[in-house]
Amino acid sequence: MPTSTYPTNTVPRLFLPQTADVTEISQKIAELSNQVHDLSLVIGGKKITGSGKKISVSLPHRKAEQYATVTLPSVDEIKNALDNALEAREKWSQTSVSQRVAIFNKVADLIENKYKNLLVAATMIGQSKTVFQGEIDAAAGLIDSIRFNSKFALDIEKMQPPDSEVTNIALDYRPLEGFVYAITPFNFTTTSAILSTAPALMGNVVIWKPSITAMLPSHILMDIYKEAGLPDGVINLVPGYGPEVSKVLLTNEYLAGIYFTGSTKVFRQLWQQVGNNLDTYRNFPRLVGETGGKGFVIAHPTADRDRLISAIVRSGFEYQGQKCSACSRAYIPQSVWDEIKDKLVAEVRDLKFGQIEDFKNFMGAVIDEASFNRLSTVLKNLSADPEIEILAGGKSDSSTGYFVEPTLVISKNPKNKVFSDEYFGPILAIHVFPDNQFEAILETIDQVSAYALTGSIFCEDSAVVTEVLEKLRNSAGSMNVNDKPTGAVMGKHPFGGSRASGTNDKAGSLQGLLRWTSPRVVRTVTTSATDVKHPHQL
Ligand code: NAD
């Protein structure tokens, strides 16, 4: 059973004004955003410019400034990535877990000691993150996720059945027989790192398709994997929007698994495509998907008011609400609402957003034009909805970059779709309920949305907390008591949800790693039967 010691979590830097940390990261941001990065495939350890379409990628917060060109691969280049991965598999699948752990611990050390500013700056410019959001994602979360997963891989190796006097049973944690297709979203560099490395840590080879808007940190990660000694071809990076890469990979007999994080809609499509191709595969592919969310906060009349306000604002609007764990619906008893309304609305109206180089800002821009257009339509529909009152924000402006105001709305109808649909932007809905309807509102929270990813209860009465945890047992894979629903700490807080939020395999945990191994039992016996007949036949 697990014995190796836990790594220590990385303490994020705070970037206080006029410190060396601020000067250094600002220099890196300027350096990276003043050039156009040529980003394409990495196959068998080599950077290759794809022969497909060239896409120019701009800064979300200054849309006129291009910072990257991504060249898409041809079908032959995608097949080439696959051939390279399968060839690399022959040796990589034979490596020991300690050899693999040594490489990935080196990855974490390199990031901590050499590349964290580069990764944080790349994540800030490409994802439009503020410095602290960049730090917790591309430095602290990333380093910790790799170190903790390495520890969990060693723990798994030690998980063996008990011996008996005559039998020794060993579990041989084999990698899957084929390749893993890792598909990552735009919003977290940590997620990109976990999904590309976790299967490799368990001895698998990976074809990794990042989001087009997250190619810069993804390329930097590929360079770091190589510098740490990861053999060529173990992780191959293939850019694309998805369907064109899937067309090749999902029809290949060696597809052994999909490791996906992104929207529920895309994961359902992938699952369906795999189902349609089942006869093609040598194995039943493992399908792991962490998908959408509709995070909630529920307050009890005993809730600490200031903690509640801070949690709602931070989890609703940090990183422009583009976290799957973000709070996008809050349920407040009337007595609490009467006390917090003015302060909460004032805090949201006061949130500064703008260029990520200005560290006074709380938010940057949303990721791209498509997201901006989608959120602008949501805002238009909300302002036309007679059931909705806009308390703060409500506008968007793309004259410089893709900026959407932090928007707080209130509705008397807890079934309005503002409480059920995932918008993935800075839009948060409040429902105020009579204090004596606390139990009934729990039922609504559980039923109104298809998602079950994150939730928080703010309450100073422990008996009520117990009741809420029981009633909302299936409403969230990650439930927080007196804290915000965002901000999972890697290694300490396994993350994932069920229902429409995914397969709940908990990225960054021992359970998550188990999906990427196909154990073989090797049973060695010292004494076995020499008779054919059984005793009852005597
Ligand atoms: P998305 O679904 O649009 O894209 C995710 C990835 O899937 C991208 O790399 C995209 O190119 C790719 N893709 C799209 N169609 C594909 C196809 N046919 N084949 C292969 N790949 C395909 O999501 P997004 O906008 O990047 O991210 C936002 C979504 O991700 C939100 O719904 C959010 O809740 C979710 N998310 C969930 C978690 C979690 O842990 N549950 C974490 C982060 C993000």
Side-chain angles (χ1 to χ4, degrees):
M1 281 320 257
T3 51
S4 51
T5 49
Y6 283 102
T8 308
N9 280 101
T10 307
V11 180
R13 295 169 291 176
L14 297 177
F15 298 95
L16 295 174
Q18 278 132 33
T19 55
D21 285 341
V22 171
T23 313
E24 285 165 20
I25 200 82
S26 299
Q27 277 165 358
K28 225 10 131 197
I29 293 167
E31 208 178 285
L32 282 182
S33 42
N34 285 339
Q35 42 181 308
V36 177
H37 304 265
D38 192 3
L39 307 171
S40 194
L41 295 87
V42 184
I43 303 180
K46 291 188 191 64
K47 291 186 178 167
I48 295 164
T49 301
S51 47
K53 196 173 158 196
K54 259 190 179 112
I55 296 162
S56 70
V57 191
S58 304
L59 299 173
H61 38 279
R62 288 195 296 278
K63 64 177 192 180
E65 282 181 37
Q66 182 192 350
Y67 76 93
T69 302
V70 175
T71 318
L72 299 183
S74 64
V75 167
D76 282 346
E77 284 157 349
I78 302 169
K79 285 185 178 155
N80 188 18
L82 192 48
D83 292 342
N84 265 272
L86 293 173
E87 198 184 313
R89 186 185 182 278
E90 281 174 29
K91 280 199 185 143
W92 185 246
S93 62
Q94 302 296 327
T95 52
S96 68
V97 67
S98 41
Q99 284 171 304
R100 300 192 297 263
V101 160
I103 292 171
F104 286 108
N105 274 334
K106 181 90 192 290
V107 167
D109 292 347
L110 281 169
I111 296 171
E112 182 170 53
N113 301 318
K114 195 168 164 192
Y115 293 116
K116 72 178 172 212
N117 278 348
L118 182 64
L119 273 167
V120 170
T123 302
M124 288 175 70
I125 71 162
Q127 273 48 61
S128 200
K129 291 201 173 189
T130 60
V131 73
F132 189 67
Q133 295 302 311
E135 172 78 1
I136 55 176
D137 174 17
L142 206 166
I143 294 164
D144 293 351
S145 63
I146 292 182
R147 287 206 177 123
F148 272 88
N149 263 353
S150 297
K151 180 244 184 303
F152 297 142
L154 293 171
D155 287 345
I156 287 173
E157 196 72 9
K158 291 188 197 118
M159 286 163 50
Q160 297 291 336
D163 287 340
S164 75
E165 269 175 29
V166 292
T167 310
N168 169 276
I169 300 181
L171 277 180
D172 164 16
Y173 288 98
R174 302 174 303 180
L176 310 183
E177 216 186 347
F179 69 96
V180 174
Y181 181 16
I183 303 168
T184 53
F186 76 83
N187 64 337
F188 281 111
T189 302
T190 294
T191 306
S192 295
I194 295 178
L195 271 58
S196 56
T197 61
L201 183 60
M202 300 306 286
N204 298 283
V205 291
V206 179
I207 310 279
W208 173 24
K209 196 214 74 60
S211 170
I212 294 280
T213 46
M215 283 289 285
L216 185 56
S218 305
H219 257 260
I220 296 169
L221 281 173
M222 287 300 289
D223 288 341
I224 298 172
Y225 300 160
K226 192 173 172 79
E227 187 174 335
L230 187 74
D232 293 344
V234 171
I235 302 176
N236 301 275
L237 184 148
V238 175
Y241 289 105
E244 66 294 343
V245 183
S246 290
K247 215 169 172 180
V248 177
L249 300 189
L250 297 186
T251 49
N252 188 280
E253 62 182 310
Y254 289 104
L255 178 77
I258 296 180
Y259 202 179
F260 175 84
T261 295
S263 61
T264 304
K265 186 173 151 216
V266 170
F267 189 52
R268 284 188 174 135
Q269 282 167 6
L270 293 169
W271 195 298
Q272 226 140 28
Q273 280 174 272
V274 166
N276 293 341
N277 290 319
L278 266 189
D279 292 341
T280 312
Y281 310 125
R282 290 177 167 244
N283 288 277
F284 290 99
R286 302 268 167 101
L287 304 180
V288 176
E290 298 299 336
T291 57
K294 191 74 188 171
F296 61 84
V297 165
I298 161 95
H300 184 257
T302 61
D304 181 306
R305 277 46 170 170
D306 289 335
R307 285 171 78 179
L308 176 65
I309 292 172
S310 165
I312 292 175
V313 178
R314 285 192 172 185
S315 64
F317 301 111
E318 277 176 346
Y319 191 38
Q320 298 80 270
Q322 297 172 119
K323 299 186 185 185
C324 49
S325 53
C327 168
S328 53
R329 48 184 178 136
Y331 301 85
I332 318 283
Q334 186 69 55
S335 61
V336 177
W337 182 243
D338 293 342
E339 286 179 42
I340 69 164
K341 179 184 172 184
D342 291 347
K343 188 170 178 201
L344 177 67
V345 172
E347 289 282 8
V348 177
R349 287 190 182 149
D350 209 33
L351 292 176
K352 288 191 172 33
F353 58 91
Q355 300 303 315
I356 50 101
E357 290 87 349
D358 178 355
F359 288 9
K360 293 226 173 329
N361 284 328
F362 183 86
M363 293 163 54
V366 298
I367 191 67
D368 58 15
E369 189 178 13
S371 168
F372 176 84
N373 289 342
R374 189 176 47 74
L375 290 164
S376 300
T377 305
V378 170
L379 291 179
K380 210 168 108 202
N381 293 342
L382 288 175
S383 68
D385 186 336
E387 289 186 350
I388 301 279
E389 181 194 346
I390 296 181
L391 299 174
K395 294 195 198 71
S396 58
D397 177 1
S398 64
S399 46
T400 316
Y402 302 115
F403 292 105
V404 177
E405 285 184 355
T407 299
L408 191 67
V409 306
I410 188 164
S411 178
K412 286 197 167 73
N413 178 8
K415 293 196 175 146
N416 185 292
K417 64 182 181 169
V418 75
F419 296 106
S420 56
D421 292 3
E422 185 188 46
Y423 296 139
F424 217 59
I427 301 171
L428 196 156
I430 304 275
H431 175 72
V432 177
F433 59 91
D435 286 34
N436 63 4
Q437 293 296 305
F438 187 76
E439 286 204 5
I441 209 70
L442 297 180
E443 174 81 14
T444 306
I445 291 173
D446 181 60
Q447 291 301 318
V448 77
S449 170
Y451 300 105
L453 190 57
T454 59
S456 292
I457 159 75
F458 280 79
C459 176
E460 297 295 315
D461 180 332
S462 58
V464 176
V465 170
T466 307
E467 182 197 330
V468 171
L469 293 180
E470 182 55 37
K471 292 234 159 78
L472 298 181
R473 192 155 183 229
N474 295 308
S475 321
S478 173
M479 193 64 196
N480 304 273
V481 180
N482 293 322
D483 200 4
K484 61 185 169 36
T486 52
V489 175
M490 283 299 134
K492 300 273 169 65
H493 191 161
F495 190 77
S498 53
R499 298 186 182 165
S501 292
T503 53
N504 198 18
D505 287 295
K506 300 285 189 234
S509 73
L510 186 143
Q511 293 92 325
L513 286 186
L514 282 172
R515 294 305 307 269
W516 307 117
T517 175
S518 176
R520 172 178 68 153
V521 168
V522 178
R523 195 170 67 94
T524 310
V525 291
T526 47
T527 313
S528 54
T530 50
D531 299 336
V532 171
K533 285 188 177 150
H534 290 283
H536 64 81
Q537 294 178 282
L538 293 176

